[in-house]
Each structure stands twice: as C-alpha cells, then as structure tokens.
Amino acid sequence: MVKKPLRFLCPNGHLGFAPIKTESFYLGVETKPDFILADSGSDDIGPGPLGSDTSTSPLEWQRHDLEHMLLAARRLGVPMIIGSAGDTGTNSRVDLYVNIIKELADKHNLPKFKIGYFYSEVSKDYLARKMDKGEVIKGLDGRPNLTRADLEKTDRIVAMAGVHPYIKLLDMGADVIIGGRSSDCVIFAAPAIRAGFPEDLAYYLGKVLECASFCAEPYGGKETVIGTITEKEVLVTAMHPQQRCTVASVAGHAMYERSNPYYEYVLGGMLDMSNCRYEQYDEKTCRITGPKFVPSPEWWVKLEGSGKVGERYVGIAGIRDPYTIKNIDKVIEWARAQVRERFGDEGYELHYHVFGRNGVMGELEPVKEIRSHELCVVVQGIAPTKAMAEEVTMIGTRQMFYARLPEVKGTAGGVAFVLDEVLPASPAYMWTMNHIVRLDDPLELFPTYLTEAGK
C-alpha cells in the first residue's frame, strides 16, 4: 500500500534570530500541513551564548514565533516541533521554551495538550570518566583530540542529538516537542522516519527545510516553505508569492554554511547528496530524488563546548590621514607597545580589526594592497577583570592618537575617535570543543520528559 504523502511547514531557519514573516506563514498554514517545525539553534552566533547560557535574541522575538506556530498547530491539530531551543539548546533554553508554551496555552485558553522535551547538556565529569577509561574524544576539522586542559577551560557543553529523542517523544504522545541541541535536519527527518518513509529521503527533507526560505529565490529570509515527502521523492515549495524553489536555489542551498556540499553527518550516519537529481516540478516547487543515507557502524555524537576567556571592552577609531593609513601597522604596534609598558606581555588580549583593509577576513583577505581613503579600527581588549579590560582597551585605542611615526613633525591627531570612551561588551568566550564521542546508545545523552499545558 502506497503511503500518503506528508507535508512539513517550516517558517524559520533560526527561530528567534529574527521574527518570521507571517504572510507566507499563514498561506502555508491554510494548505493544512501535517507538521509545523523549526530549528532554533546555530553555532554561527559564536561561542558566547553557549558559554554564558543565554540567548542572542530578544525574548519577545522568540515568543512571537512560538505563539504563531503554537496557535496554528493546535488549530490544525498537528504536532509542532522545535529543535535546539533558544539558540544553543542548553537545558535552561529548553526550560524557557517549555514555560513559554505553557504561558501561551494559558493566555489563549487552549485545550490541554502534551509537551515533550529533552535535554542535551553534557557534564565535564561524564567526559572525564570517558577519558579515564582511555576513550578518545576525537577532534573535528583539524582540531586535536580532547585534552584535560581543553576540558578544564570549558564552561558548558552540548551534544548534537539525532532523530532518536524526537521519535521517542512522538511515540509518547507529545503534541509539542521542545528539543535540546540537535543536528538541524533531524528535527524534520524524525517524524518522516517514524511514519515509515525511507531514511534517504527523510534526512534530505530535513536538509532542504532546515533554513526555510533560504532554499528559494529571490532571496527573502524568514519566509515559509513546505516540504512534501513521498516514498520516491521530496518536493519543496515556496509559500511567499514572490518566491520560487528552483533547481538552482535548492541545489545551491546544499552549499550554504558548508565546506563540502555533498555530505551531512548526523548521529547515526551520513547523508550523501552527491547523486541528487533536481527537477522543476511546477512554478514554485522543486523535486529532489537520489539522496542516500549511509548508517554508521557505531554511535558517535558531536560535542560543542565553550569557555570564558575574560571580560571585554571595545574602542573605535577612525583614520582619514593618508600618511597614518599608509603606516597603520606602525600605529597599531605603537599602541600595543604602550599596553605592554603598562601590563607586560601576558594576562590579557588585545585585538585590532582594521575595516577598510582586512577587518572581515583578517589574514585570509586576498587583497593585500589597499587604496582606502579612510579606515575604521575596532579595538577589543580582553582581561580577567572589567577594570583591567577597560584600561587595556583604552590605552590600546587612545594611544593610536599619539603614535610616533617617522617624518611626522606635528604632535598628534592622525586618528579620530567616534566616542571618547571605550564601551563595555559581552564577555569573550572561545570554542573549546568541536569533537565527537562514542555512545553506547543514541539516547544516552538525551533524557526525555513529558508534561502538559492548557486547560
């Protein structure tokens, strides 16, 4: 018997990072999808939110998206699934979203429903015990294997869940699922796999939907798309009136954020997209066939870890003087020397980002010879205390004004300041962990729970 196709509505590629566009969302809702889903996490935002256990977006933006999705899902009577809650998927972010769902249920007098949720934080003790047993925690992307020193530098760790906790919570009867940190595509793949569709297509469905309208053209973020899975194909359709899912836009999306557009690794295997075939199905829809999911012989899960480096301040300097621009490296070295004179060589960090030269790409910038008529230098000072960070940054910024350059007969003034003061910034964190660890069970790090909301 041929399975009935399932339709998945995704309004947002990073829930909470910017509010969803409701016009295309409700156009999609009116087509009566079988699931409403979104990913809420990303490591694009850097290690700060994970290390400090915060969200990077205003709470109201997150509440906005959850409210629209919840009301639509309960009106249609279909499951709503959110993965990597609150940017990072830490336990506190999962709790935050569960509480928001409960508050929204009360606010709108929704009939009682079940909320399933799972955690994904990993304790340092857990990894230390693994290391004591001689297990290797492997580094990814050229990182060395995890050391005790790396572990000690870490404040918080999350593991990237696979489809398993989502399937378990659906089996438990959850109407709404709030997930901890998860691989993006598994949020969508899980209900499709549970319904009996091939893993090859289910994981691809997740891959193409994870960023919502990023797989459509022309560009328009936060617009809704709908993915349909059958036993033979995946179809993806743009809901915004001006957008289309084309062969180019869908195939091109595979390259987004990726060094290799063909492979997607998740807990339990790898999605191979090298033999995918893309066809224009209708004006707004692209059809995809040919993905292959390759199961792995062991359970290896990816870990993300973040550790605090120090407190941070920021200074901003502008330069218009051609001679100072020509000698910008000497100006910066002068300012660095004044910081060393005050604090020595260690115990702080001082970073200069020269916008107009290589402020975005740093040493990777291929254009080495610049002709900018003005530069903006952003100075970051990082130190153990706020007071020291402020002073490091102030010296490192202000002393650019007094740089002693050869052939200059005047006193100072080659640099102007946007503000006289330096500005407090969020503490500085660094990625301490981009590793994989072997599990005995795919649910080992992802405990599941069920609660209720509504009346």
Side-chain angles (χ1 to χ4, degrees), residues 30-291:
E30 293 310 308
T31 69
K32 299 182 178 178
D34 298 292
F35 294 89
I36 296 179
L37 317 86
D39 170 43
S40 181
S42 177
D43 58 13
D44 294 351
I45 54 180
L50 176 61
S52 59
D53 200 13
T54 57
S55 294
T56 189
S57 308
L59 182 60
E60 281 309 307
W61 292 4
Q62 300 173 74
R63 192 188 304 276
H64 168 274
D65 287 9
L66 292 172
E67 186 166 22
H68 283 287
M69 293 177 69
L70 177 66
L71 295 182
R74 299 319 306 145
R75 175 162 64 85
L76 294 174
V78 301
M80 167 184 165
I81 303 177
I82 304 295
S84 298
D87 297 322
T88 63
T90 59
N91 296 359
S92 76
R93 302 302 93 183
V94 170
D95 292 340
L96 173 69
Y97 274 26
V98 169
N99 288 331
I100 291 174
I101 294 294
K102 290 183 174 181
E103 292 169 6
L104 292 171
D106 290 340
K107 173 183 174 183
H108 294 283
N109 293 312
L110 296 180
K112 188 170 290 186
F113 60 91
K114 294 179 180 177
I115 307 173
Y117 61 100
F118 71 87
Y119 294 133
S120 60
E121 279 195 36
V122 181
S123 74
K124 292 201 288 186
D125 289 344
Y126 171 87
L127 295 179
R129 289 195 296 273
K130 290 267 189 184
M131 297 169 79
D132 287 343
K133 294 176 183 176
E135 293 194 36
V136 176
I137 300 173
K138 299 179 182 178
L140 296 171
D141 300 329
R143 277 181 178 256
N145 296 335
L146 189 69
T147 65
R148 286 284 188 176
D150 293 329
L151 192 59
E152 289 306 313
K153 293 177 185 174
T154 303
D155 288 317
R156 192 161 287 99
I157 309 161
V158 289
M160 305 281 283
V163 297
H164 317 87
Y166 291 100
I167 291 176
K168 182 179 178 182
L169 289 167
L170 288 169
D171 288 343
M172 293 165 68
D175 300 297
V176 173
I177 295 177
I178 303 298
R181 189 71 171 120
S182 312
S183 294
D184 298 351
C185 68
V186 308
I187 302 159
F188 308 85
I193 292 170
R194 179 174 178 268
F197 288 94
E199 289 183 323
D200 302 332
L201 295 170
Y203 281 103
Y204 186 86
L205 173 81
K207 175 58 196 163
V208 75
L209 290 183
E210 67 184 16
C211 291
S213 57
F214 276 16
C215 68
E217 63 173 312
Y219 170 74
K222 307 301 174 185
E223 302 289 355
T224 289
V225 296
I226 287 186
T228 304
I229 188 169
T230 76
E231 292 180 308
K232 296 181 179 178
E233 63 196 3
V234 170
L235 305 170
V236 56
T237 307
M239 288 294 105
H240 188 279
Q242 303 303 319
Q243 281 194 308
R244 304 165 64 226
C245 288
T246 67
V247 171
S249 69
V250 175
H253 178 253
M255 290 186 278
Y256 178 64
E257 297 178 324
R258 314 179 63 73
S259 57
N260 189 318
Y262 296 123
Y263 306 123
E264 175 89 359
Y265 292 89
V266 299
L267 174 55
M270 180 267 288
L271 176 66
D272 183 350
M273 296 175 278
S274 56
N275 290 313
C276 279
R277 181 178 176 83
Y278 300 86
E279 303 168 82
Q280 199 66 42
Y281 180 79
D282 62 25
E283 175 64 19
K284 296 174 73 69
T285 303
C286 180
R287 170 167 50 199
I288 307 95
T289 55

Side-chain angles (χ1 to χ4, degrees), residues 345-398:
D345 292 321
E346 299 178 350
Y348 64 90
E349 294 184 19
L350 185 59
H351 302 280
Y352 289 86
H353 308 275
V354 184
F355 292 93
R357 185 179 70 171
N358 61 357
V360 176
M361 296 184 66
E363 294 304 313
L364 296 176
E365 171 58 60
V367 177
K368 301 300 182 185
E369 187 174 336
I370 62 170
R371 296 181 179 178
S372 304
H373 70 283
E374 62 182 11
L375 297 176
C376 176
V377 182
V378 175
V379 184
Q380 287 191 65
I382 301 167
T385 66
K386 289 184 178 180
M388 183 177 174
E390 182 178 18
E391 193 174 353
V392 165
T393 311
M394 186 167 288
I395 295 173
T397 305
R398 193 167 291 173

Side-chain angles (χ1 to χ4, degrees), residues 16-34:
F17 195 70
I20 61 171
K21 302 293 188 181
T22 55
E23 178 190 3
S24 61
F25 174 71
Y26 284 107
L27 288 173
V29 170
E30 293 310 308
T31 69
K32 299 182 178 178
D34 298 292

